[in-house]
Amino acid sequence: MSAPHADQIVNGYLARLEQALADMPNARRTELLEDVRAHIAQARAGLTDETDADILNVLDRIGEPADIATEARERLGVRPRPPSRIGLLEIGALVLTPFLWPVGIILLWTSSAWNTRDNLIGTLVPPGGYMGLGVLAFLPLIAVRTSSGVCGSPGFGYCPAIPSPPAWVGLLVALLFVAYLVLPLLTAVYLGFRLRRANARPTVPA
Amino acid sequence: MPSDGLVTQMRKGALEYCVLALLVGRSRYAFELIEGLASTGMLTSEGTIYPLLSRLRRDGLVDTEWRESTDGPPRRYYRVTAEGKRALKAFRDEWAGFRTAVDAVLEKGATL
């Protein structure tokens, strides 16, 4: 006859153990959970008329999940996971680099979550983020103003004809435009991805 | 025994060889190993033996196999390998020398 709350108690314990082992490689964690599960089953098999107290005693003798996890880390060589590096600084950097580029890249370089290569990608791909798009959009406008604003007005007379730019310039501007539309988003996604990878993978020495 | 750093380290280091020594005679399952180690006071809690056994398995010092049991669920039996026996012998030699040397100095210190 099972104790009234046996499953609850045992599952609660195993859940805590799984939590404590969260930074271990999957295979090691699964193995340890299986071993402890089997241990509990065997201990219970030896009990007659098991009570809730009996189960609690079995779990007491097995020990605190935190202690087992510490032992596992020491024996199986996993460094304890460093605290999560996704903070306000990192979120700010991710969001602001596309939209408020100067502030965004300050946050980017200030945060220690990304290496130099990633920081450079964030800064230069593309430079200015979506704000760079605004600068790009200005260029044709400036060109139009200078070519027509002064020359057309009375009193200035004849203006030398300004040749219209060759077709390839137009194409280049169009390409830059598209790049500036797409790249800030891609870069933000890339940086976000790099952040998750650095956080998720526990390090196990060979 | 006091649980300061050094003694804890010594216990940790020697524990795996104690497990290997218990397996030399015959294969045992975890409960039996825990029982065998209980008198030494080297196992802080029963659950901590499993990371150790996992390590021994990874290092190839022990093998395991599941066997049916008449009075309960199947049990995982641990068996020492040839590699494990070699490691145990090396430890025994080291330990003998270490113990003699430390004893000698401790003895000397006491009589000074």
Side-chain angles (χ1 to χ4, degrees):
Chain A
M1 186 70 198
S2 271
H5 303 103
D7 285 343
Q8 230 172 304
I9 300 173
V10 171
N11 289 337
Y13 177 86
L14 289 173
R16 286 197 297 139
L17 183 55
E18 180 161 16
Q19 257 287 69
L21 294 170
D23 59 347
M24 307 234 32
N26 288 339
R28 294 285 81 75
R29 178 172 62 249
T30 309
E31 191 182 271
L32 284 169
L33 287 170
E34 276 316 303
D35 281 340
V36 172
R37 200 175 272 126
H39 181 118
I40 295 173
Q42 285 174 33
R44 288 175 70 184
L47 298 168
T48 44
D49 294 334
E50 75 176 17
T51 62
D52 283 350
D54 286 334
I55 309 251
L56 290 170
N57 281 329
V58 166
L59 296 178
D60 263 0
R61 284 203 302 275
I62 294 176
E64 274 299 309
D67 293 336
I68 298 178
T70 304
E71 186 78 17
R73 261 179 242 117
E74 286 175 14
R75 294 278 180 192
L76 301 169
V78 178
R79 292 209 306 267
R81 174 196 240 162
S84 170
R85 297 146 90 207
I86 302 181
L88 216 49
L89 201 61
E90 285 69 36
I91 295 175
L94 270 184
V95 170
L96 293 180
T97 301
F99 298 107
L100 200 59
W101 185 78
V103 178
I105 58 162
I106 290 173
L107 295 180
L108 183 69
W109 286 87
T110 306
S111 159
S112 54
W114 290 283
N115 61 22
T116 303
R117 191 190 73 166
D118 290 341
N119 284 340
L120 283 172
I121 290 175
T123 309
L124 300 174
V125 184
Y130 283 121
M131 292 175 71
L133 197 63
V135 170
L136 256 193
F138 254 105
L139 292 178
L141 289 178
I142 293 172
V144 167
R145 272 182 69 80
T146 38
S147 69
S148 67
V150 174
C151 296
S153 50
F156 273 86
Y158 175 77
C159 273
I162 294 165
S164 52
W168 66 264
V169 172
L171 189 61
L172 182 65
V173 173
L175 280 176
L176 275 177
F177 223 78
V178 171
Y180 263 92
L181 273 178
V182 167
L183 284 180
L185 200 59
L186 288 180
T187 298
V189 168
Y190 169 78
L191 289 175
F193 186 64
R194 293 285 298 164
L195 202 57
R196 282 185 45 124
R197 287 213 64 190
N199 257 304
R201 192 181 32 187
T203 40
V204 181
Chain B
M1 283 173 90
S3 62
D4 68 307
L6 174 62
V7 174
T8 315
Q9 286 309 308
M10 280 165 46
R11 265 192 227 149
K12 271 194 166 13
L15 190 54
E16 49 184 287
Y17 298 102
C18 291
V19 168
L20 291 176
L22 284 172
L23 294 175
V24 164
R26 60 185 181 85
S27 301
R28 296 177 196 253
Y29 62 101
F31 268 65
E32 295 182 298
L33 289 169
I34 290 168
E35 226 176 325
L37 293 169
S39 53
T40 67
M42 288 171 78
L43 206 54
T44 46
S45 63
E46 295 181 355
T48 56
I49 202 177
Y50 292 106
L52 172 58
L53 291 171
S54 176
R55 176 88 221 194
L56 290 173
R57 225 141 89 218
R58 280 218 309 185
D59 291 347
L61 303 180
V62 304
D63 256 334
T64 74
E65 77 173 345
W66 288 93
R67 293 189 204 165
E68 285 295 334
S69 136
T70 43
D71 48 309
R75 296 167 177 160
R76 183 179 242 152
Y77 275 78
Y78 294 85
R79 176 189 79 83
V80 65
T81 62
E83 177 81 30
K85 286 184 184 154
R86 275 196 294 274
L88 178 59
K89 171 155 193 337
F91 175 78
R92 276 198 218 270
D93 295 340
E94 283 295 318
W95 174 249
F98 180 70
R99 189 180 51 199
T100 312
V102 172
D103 278 343
V105 173
L106 291 180
E107 185 75 6
K108 237 188 184 178
T111 57
L112 281 173

